[in-house]
Amino acid sequence: MDSISSCSSVSAIKSRTFGTSDSKALTLNLRNGVAAFSNSKVGSSRVPPMGTSGNTQPKIVTGENGYVLEDVPHLIDYIPDLPVIFPGKKATAIGLTYPNPLQDNPAYSVVKQYFVNADDTVAQKIVVHKSSPRGTHFRRAGPRQKAYFESDEVHACIVTCGGLCPGLNTVIREIVCGLYHMYGVTRVLGIDGGYRGFYSRNTISLTPKFVNDIHKRGGTILGTSRGGHDTSKIVDSIQDRGINQVYIIGGDGTQRGASVIFEEIKRRGLKVAVAGIPKTIDNDIPVIDKSFGFDTAVEEAQRAINAAHVEAESIENGVGVVKLMGRYSGFIAMYATLASRDVDCCLIPESPFYLEGPGGLFEYIEKRLKENGHMVIVIAEGAGQELLCESMRSIHQQDASGNKLLQDVGLWISQKIKDHFSRSKKMGITLKYIDPTYMIRAVPSNASDNVYCTLLAQSAVHGAMAGYTGFTVGPVNGRHSYIPFYRIIERQNNVVITDRMWARLLSSTHQPSFLTPKDIVEEKKEEAPQSLLLNGLSSKDNELLEKVSSNTCGNVL
């Protein structure tokens, strides 16, 4: 039966359900010649188990030449009395959408185009062959012509969760100032102390005057914590306080919690937009180009590396060891090493290494000391954990955010190096160990990150005001986009040790790769290109989608 179905665009959508031979329901949405499919299999392989958060099926839109849009939810997807806007017509329910205040904002009077086109999308991959399909896209971030919230109606809140990261205060400031100055929103609350602050702490009233200088400070003025996620209590608090926009700043664990909050809000049918701003100093969130605070972390790490280099070269056979952040991903260590050019060896979680024997770390240290008389080693906190497992009491323990507790690999490897040269008696060494972790986390963001945080915050505000929900914002190939939660939390972003960037590092440090030919083959297998089939679909499903999209458009319309 044909019917009008809600969607996140301002165009009309017709929906029709087709039966399939294996009894799966396949819904075809036709919009300007583009087909949107949703069934229990589309994208299901990408959605990790998240308790109650697996209720929403991905919004997959397909078009010609292999075009795929992984869209984000919209309030009209689950609130029936919000209008669907037909091209060239007014809203079906007067007063439920509003003109965007930006069109009357003097600051934007010089802008040639106030609003992002409703059909603008951003390609996930931009390096393609002439015969390649267009591939996966995300909805472009930015202001829309129609707002689904009236300025006076908005009651927003901001919460920061997880560890500290440069730029947190900048994001808070720009969300507040963006809501005030761009949309005229005057009610913004800060949730004190992370997720548990929703139900156990007082809130903080945030105004542009209150947040004016906070970007010059490190940390977060709202306080933070790990854990404390009680979905029912959090959504009860949101509902009781009359909050209708929730801005959640945090890493993959926090975004997973945001996804669950969105699902509960959707289940209750509340007009509440949930927007995530990804925060991880390790740069381990997938899809987006990089996370805020990363540039600052790499810059600050240079100070520690420089100090280690000065100490090492000032004494015969001096060894400087610097431990940097990187629980599962070694991006900070890798980029800090490349930027420094004083590092002789970089050890990261993605690249296993060994100590003893030919080609091992000890042999390389001896060689480097004979050549240069000193050396600097940078090690990420998650590197070499497999070598510590036997002596590691906390191997199966986790913190409140679900992260594996790690032993101090910097102290461990420093002692191992000392013990080796003490036993061998070939040469005496002097080793200096530096751990700048908490100094880096606590600094204010640099100029580059300040600009980046501004763009993230304003993109999140534009998305929430336009009625989008259940999304994380971030740059994809330089263009800010709205990304579904499940794509952010499906996996972690890791250094690819068969990639050119890692090869550049090896060329800079002259360290051994510590990889055997077998390891390289296995790594390349893991990084093999995915099938051109639509993610999560079998070949049979793809044949069905192609048949439906090519043969049934006229029947539905």
Side-chain angles (χ1 to χ4, degrees), residues 193-226:
Y195 275 136
R196 62 171 48 91
F198 275 102
Y199 54 86
S200 65
R201 303 269 185 101
N202 293 326
T203 58
I204 304 169
S205 180
L206 301 177
T207 64
K209 183 177 181 180
F210 184 85
V211 302
N212 185 52
D213 293 325
I214 64 172
H215 62 291
K216 300 175 183 177
R217 290 182 255 161
T220 165
I221 62 163
L222 300 180
T224 186
S225 65
R226 298 188 184 275

Side-chain angles (χ1 to χ4, degrees), residues 301-318:
Q302 301 302 297
R303 303 177 189 275
I305 293 173
N306 184 58
H309 182 250
V310 170
E311 288 283 354
E313 71 173 354
S314 298
I315 193 167
E316 183 180 4
N317 294 332

Side-chain angles (χ1 to χ4, degrees), residues 37 40 51 136 138 215 221 233 351 380 397 443 478 490 498 503 507 553:
F37 299 93
S40 58
T136 300
F138 301 104
H215 62 291
I221 62 163
K233 288 183 178 180
S351 180
Q397 297 179 6
V443 300
E490 66 182 351
T498 54
S507 176
C553 292

Side-chain angles (χ1 to χ4, degrees), residues 37-322:
F37 299 93
S38 61
N39 71 8
S40 58
K41 279 198 167 185
V42 175
S44 60
S45 63
R46 287 185 164 183
V47 184
M50 295 182 295
T52 60
S53 67
N55 300 326
T56 296
Q57 295 300 326
K59 292 174 65 177
I60 305 297
V61 179
T62 62
E64 296 179 354
N65 302 318
Y67 174 90
V68 178
L69 169 62
E70 296 196 23
D71 208 354
V72 295
H74 193 279
L75 294 173
I76 61 177
D77 292 342
Y78 66 91
I79 302 180
D81 59 348
L82 284 178
V84 175
I85 312 295
F86 292 87
K89 297 183 180 180
K90 294 183 178 179
T92 55
I94 297 174
L96 293 180
T97 58
Y98 313 94
N100 193 317
L102 279 179
Q103 64 190 12
D104 301 318
N105 190 319
Y108 280 75
S109 61
V110 297
V111 179
K112 292 182 179 179
Q113 183 178 344
Y114 287 111
F115 307 114
V116 172
N117 189 291
D119 295 321
D120 283 357
T121 58
V122 178
Q124 183 176 10
K125 292 186 177 181
I126 56 175
V127 179
V128 296
H129 301 290
K130 62 182 180 181
S131 59
S132 299
R134 293 178 63 190
T136 300
H137 292 65
F138 301 104
R139 189 165 290 280
R140 184 184 174 191
R144 265 53 183 181
Q145 191 167 8
K146 293 290 184 180
Y148 277 77
F149 291 93
E150 192 172 23
S151 301
D152 294 340
E153 144 191 38
V154 175
H155 190 192
C157 74
I158 306 170
V159 62
T160 55
C161 306
L164 294 182
C165 176
L168 279 169
N169 280 334
T170 306
V171 175
I172 295 168
R173 181 189 189 278
E174 296 308 320
I175 291 175
V176 174
C177 291
L179 285 168
Y180 265 74
H181 299 316
M182 292 191 296
Y183 288 95
V185 173
T186 58
R187 294 190 297 165
V188 184
L189 293 177
I191 304 299
D192 183 16
Y195 275 136
R196 62 171 48 91
F198 275 102
Y199 54 86
S200 65
R201 303 269 185 101
N202 293 326
T203 58
I204 304 169
S205 180
L206 301 177
T207 64
K209 183 177 181 180
F210 184 85
V211 302
N212 185 52
D213 293 325
I214 64 172
H215 62 291
K216 300 175 183 177
R217 290 182 255 161
T220 165
I221 62 163
L222 300 180
T224 186
S225 65
R226 298 188 184 275
H229 190 283
D230 188 316
T231 307
S232 295
K233 288 183 178 180
I234 291 171
V235 179
D236 286 345
S237 174
I238 291 170
Q239 193 169 3
D240 292 343
R241 296 177 190 271
I243 293 169
N244 50 24
Q245 288 186 11
V246 182
Y247 297 92
I248 300 175
I249 310 168
D252 57 348
T254 301
Q255 300 303 313
R256 187 172 287 109
S259 178
V260 178
I261 291 171
F262 159 69
E263 291 292 347
E264 178 61 17
I265 286 172
K266 177 184 174 184
R267 188 188 68 80
R268 298 189 190 187
L270 304 178
K271 186 186 176 182
V272 179
V274 180
I277 295 93
K279 175 230 61 164
T280 166
I281 201 169
D282 293 345
N283 197 40
D284 59 2
I285 288 182
V287 182
I288 64 175
D289 297 344
K290 65 178 178 179
S291 52
F292 74 82
F294 175 71
D295 280 355
T296 304
V298 171
E299 184 177 302
E300 287 297 314
Q302 301 302 297
R303 303 177 189 275
I305 293 173
N306 184 58
H309 182 250
V310 170
E311 288 283 354
E313 71 173 354
S314 298
I315 193 167
E316 183 180 4
N317 294 332
V319 178
V321 177
V322 179

